Amino acid sequence: MNLKSSEADILMSEQEQLNKLLLEVSQSPTIDCGDYASAMKYVTQICRAGLDVARCSVWQLDKTFTQIRCLILNHSKGIEESNNTCTETDYPAYFKALREKRFIVADNAQVDPDTFEFKDYLQEEHIASILDAPIRQGGHIVGTLCCEHTGQIRAWSPDEQSFVGSLADILGRALTAQDRRQVQQSLEESNQYLSKLIDERTHHLSLAFEQISEQEKMASLGKLVAGVAHEINNPIGLGITTATHIEDMTLQISKAFQEGTITQSQFKEYIEVVEEGSLLLIENLHRAADLVKSFKQIAVDQSDNSFLEINLVDTLNNIVNSLKAELKKKHQTTIQLNCPKNILLNTCPGSIAQIMTNLLMNAGIHAFPEDQTDRHVSITVEDQQTQIKLCVEDNGQGIRPEIINKIYEPFVTTRRSQGGSGLGLNIVHNLVTQKLQGTIEVESQPNQFTRFIIFIPKTLEPSN
């Protein structure tokens, strides 16, 4: 009675030891870290220690279930990687047992019907008993955990079989963790590649957008040049005509003087012509100089991003004077400016010049149907203490409802076939909201009007 109790205590002690090892392995971070090689080393080491066997190895089945290859061998001399393979052709009984049995339990491995085919190998390594448990993943056998006992024949207990089976299941878990890690790494690499690709494409698009924006700015400056050139022709032409008339009169009076035939009435007429012509010359030259000055200021403003204190009415007058000839000649459109005097802004005049040029030229090109003769654009400014309200309104055909919510998007245009870039209003929106720290709204009624309402602070924050 005492002997049986002692044997039961020993068995209980062995079972508790194996359960303790299983708990340790199942809770180890090595199993779920995604490193299958480390997990195999760890599990085979625990298996050898728990069962006190000479050799423990992990094998991998191919997808056809006709070949098995040794991945790692843990024995008394250490841990080594092995490429030994076994095929179903050479070992059909073993492969049959692997397919059909939960465990391969060969107490006497050299004569067991599942393992006798390995007799030469078993004798060479002095292996007496084998206990193999299949490694499963996703319901399929993907390998085996093999325990080899040397020396005397060993009867594998149910607890030992359960222990090895549990370790094999844990290896399946480790294999899944490795697959998950590989998928995560693949996703991370793909995300990094896509992120890099997006950054590159975004950079290229930004460069292209900047180039097109610069072309748009140069195009608006070109329109200013054309308008100023047309406007300046009038005073310069009148000046040339006046100067030519004075030159002719001077030649006539000089000839009469040299011939001694000059009369008082001739000299009086000459003086009157010179006086009147001089006034006309001065007036037209001043007018031409003012136009050139306005153009120079607008050209400088549009290319200058610095902050300055400006008188808004002067800036708007310069812009209107530079564009009104172009709008009148090409688009039969007149401009009216209503702006209080002495509104001072600490702002970026270049951005204001670009905004107004784009809005006015956009109105001239897009606002009016071809058969409309009364074409008018008004600019109205209100002083609202810390900000100004600036309205640009035309009496044209309005903006179609299906496009009004898209007008600030880049490359949206109704005149692409006529060379429209679709960037004019996008540039306006970006300049108002980003550069000038303001807001822009649009109101439109079909066949009545389109009104852009801009609010910008009188003083920009230095950080911007």
Side-chain angles (χ1 to χ4, degrees), residues 329-344:
K329 178 183 178 183
K330 286 191 174 182
H331 308 292
Q332 298 78 50
T333 303
T334 59
I335 308 174
Q336 180 181 353
L337 173 62
N338 298 303
C339 178
K341 296 180 179 180
N342 300 322
I343 295 180
L344 300 180

Side-chain angles (χ1 to χ4, degrees), residues 309-316 340-345:
E309 184 178 75
I310 63 170
N311 189 322
L312 184 59
V313 69
D314 292 340
T315 298
L316 294 179
K341 296 180 179 180
N342 300 322
I343 295 180
L344 300 180
L345 303 183

Side-chain angles (χ1 to χ4, degrees), residues 251-263 266:
L251 290 175
Q252 293 176 17
I253 204 71
S254 176
K255 181 179 179 182
F257 176 76
Q258 291 173 4
E259 294 176 351
T261 60
I262 187 171
T263 65
Q266 283 180 315

Side-chain angles (χ1 to χ4, degrees), residues 29-49:
T30 304
I31 302 303
D32 297 311
C33 72
D35 184 353
Y36 191 55
S38 296
M40 288 190 295
K41 293 177 182 178
Y42 177 56
V43 168
T44 55
Q45 194 69 27
I46 292 294
C47 188
R48 283 193 63 212

